[in-house]
Amino acid sequence: MNQTTLMTPGPTMVRENVRLARACEMTNPDLDPEFFRFYRETCNKIARILRTRNDIRILSGEGILGLEAACASLCEPGDRVLVLENGIFGEGFADFVRMYGGEPVFFHGDRRRGLDPEALRCFLETDLAGGGFFRGFKFATLVHCDTPSGVLNDLGALCPLLHEYGILTVADCVSSMAGHVIETDKWHVDIVLGASQKAFSAPPGLTFLSVSNEAWRAINARKAPIASYYANLALWEDYEERMWFPYTMPAADIQGLSVAADNILADPDIFARHAMVGGGARDFVEDAGLKLFLARDYSDTVTVIEAPAGVDVEVVRQRLLDDRGIMIAGSFGFLKGKVFRIGHMGESAQIPLVRETVKGLVKAIGCAG
């Protein structure tokens, strides 16, 4: 297989020390007390990145597992759940809510910009005035960076507002974590969801999340049993005291994740670097005469570019891969066939890589036009 430069919004390129860590000799994670200690230490590293004292759990499964596990563990039949939506993944939370018997109530936003906190406040006040108070919202779901469009929502404004109304928050930070600052405790985010294959720059296969005391209380106060085993967070609450995992942990993957977390913690400029590269990517795109999809509120981990009229996105992507060995992404849902996506997160957050990618994209579009 030829060397490919991954400039996709996940999975990302993996540093050599992470790859080598996954090749180290393994123990039996079900029985070895040393592995329980190692698991806890890896969770503590993630907690430092998320700036939280909340519990961290690492689960075996791609990032979508975390989204489903949060909904499965919190949602009971008949619960009203507020789904904040200005993108494909934001909207998709509603599917998990329905799957576990909840009633999703949408707060829709403009898909070309971040969610408006003042509009959300008006929405909540209107819901209260209409009698929603008597059933309330058990929790709200929202997305930090909605990867298909690259829009960045202001968790620092939205989550404290929801907390003010007594609503627990579940935030998908899969594409923002380690690329943007996340102040979990300061912002009152009850469950923060991440994954290994984005800005952590580890191979896909792990999801991890922080769980607040308030979220644990809500999970433990349920009347109905959780309708899942693999997505049941309650099984994980006291794993350390019992020295027991709900299933055999992927030891090699967690060894790699631990080193990836070390790489992040050893880089004091990681957030400034992502901001610089994100801004540079947008400048390169506009200087090349291409148009950004968003009007504002751009993520620093992914840039989304409108495809010029008459250009076949898949043909261009393949040409860029064939000619320069650079892989970028299209999108899906309402953006399928309409945009290109360049990921610049983790190991790919480098100005030379982004510059070369945009240059190659412009040439590939010209050849395909």
Side-chain angles (χ1 to χ4, degrees):
M1 184 180 294
N2 294 331
Q3 182 75 25
T4 298
T5 301
L6 282 181
M7 298 301 289
T8 57
T12 57
M13 295 182 288
V14 178
R15 196 180 299 185
E16 184 179 18
N17 65 348
V18 175
R19 295 197 302 269
L20 291 175
R22 298 177 74 249
C24 292
E25 185 175 351
M26 288 191 305
T27 184
N28 184 328
D30 290 328
L31 301 175
D32 189 346
E34 183 64 18
F35 183 82
F36 284 86
R37 181 196 62 78
F38 174 74
Y39 178 94
R40 183 185 69 249
E41 289 180 352
T42 305
C43 289
N44 290 341
K45 293 175 185 179
I46 296 170
R48 288 172 60 193
I49 294 167
L50 294 182
R51 304 184 182 189
T52 184
R53 294 183 179 180
N54 292 339
D55 290 338
I56 304 291
R57 298 293 183 267
I58 304 166
L59 312 183
S60 178
E62 192 272 340
I64 292 294
L65 171 61
L67 276 65
E68 179 171 350
C71 293
S73 301
L74 284 173
C75 193
E76 296 187 72
D79 282 341
R80 293 176 82 232
V81 178
L82 180 59
V83 177
L84 280 66
E85 178 278 311
N86 62 333
I88 293 169
F89 282 127
E91 183 179 34
F93 261 118
D95 294 333
F96 294 126
V97 172
R98 294 189 191 98
M99 187 183 302
Y100 292 99
E103 175 193 338
V105 178
F106 283 101
F107 170 73
H108 296 289
D110 186 332
R111 290 191 166 187
R112 288 183 183 262
R113 64 190 65 208
L115 294 165
D116 182 353
E118 286 309 308
L120 176 59
R121 184 182 293 278
C122 290
F123 178 91
L124 293 171
E125 288 295 326
T126 300
D127 185 73
L128 286 171
F133 173 82
F134 296 103
R135 293 182 61 205
F137 291 114
K138 185 172 187 179
F139 64 98
T141 64
L142 66 164
V143 179
H144 197 190
C145 167
D146 209 301
T147 330
S149 69
V151 68
L152 188 76
N153 291 310
D154 186 356
L155 295 190
L158 296 165
C159 291
L161 174 59
L162 291 161
H163 179 77
E164 181 182 328
Y165 283 81
I167 302 169
L168 296 173
T169 48
V170 173
D172 172 357
C173 297
V174 170
S175 291
S176 60
M177 192 181 294
H180 285 271
V181 172
I182 299 171
E183 293 278 4
T184 301
D185 294 353
K186 182 178 178 181
W187 296 345
H188 301 288
V189 193
D190 291 291
I191 297 183
V192 174
L193 305 164
S196 56
Q197 78 272 21
K198 302 284 188 174
F200 264 71
S201 287
L206 296 175
T207 188
F208 33 88
L209 46 93
S210 66
V211 186
S212 71
N213 290 334
E214 291 80 2
W216 281 129
R217 281 196 288 270
I219 292 169
N220 290 326
R222 295 173 56 104
K223 296 183 176 66
I226 296 172
S228 174
Y229 182 86
Y230 209 74
N232 183 346
L233 294 180
L235 297 174
W236 290 87
E237 186 175 10
D238 57 355
Y239 82 93
E240 191 172 2
E241 290 79 3
R242 293 192 291 164
M243 296 282 285
W244 177 83
F245 292 116
Y247 47 79
T248 300
M249 299 307 297
D253 289 341
I254 295 175
Q255 287 172 180
L257 179 65
S258 181
V259 173
D262 288 338
N263 291 340
I264 294 166
L265 291 168
D267 184 355
D269 300 321
I270 190 166
F271 300 117
R273 175 165 57 84
H274 278 84
M276 178 189 68
V277 173
R282 295 188 288 273
D283 289 343
F284 294 149
V285 167
E286 294 186 315
D287 289 346
L290 298 174
K291 184 179 179 182
L292 298 168
F293 170 72
L294 295 175
R296 49 179 280 186
D297 302 319
Y298 308 98
S299 169
D300 289 329
T301 59
V302 55
T303 293
V304 181
I305 306 158
E306 290 191 1
V311 169
D312 188 313
V313 168
E314 294 308 310
V315 169
V316 170
R317 286 182 58 245
Q318 190 61 50
R319 185 178 295 277
L320 180 60
L321 181 60
D322 292 342
D323 291 352
R324 304 211 178 193
I326 298 173
M327 182 181 290
I328 64 171
S331 197
F332 45 94
F334 77 98
L335 289 174
K336 183 176 176 60
K338 298 179 181 179
V339 298
F340 301 101
R341 293 188 296 156
I342 297 175
H344 35 80
M345 57 179 74
E347 291 297 294
S348 65
Q350 302 178 42
I351 285 290
L353 291 178
V354 174
R355 183 188 294 115
E356 184 65 20
T357 300
V358 174
K359 186 187 302 183
L361 174 61
V362 170
K363 185 173 181 180
I365 288 173
C367 292

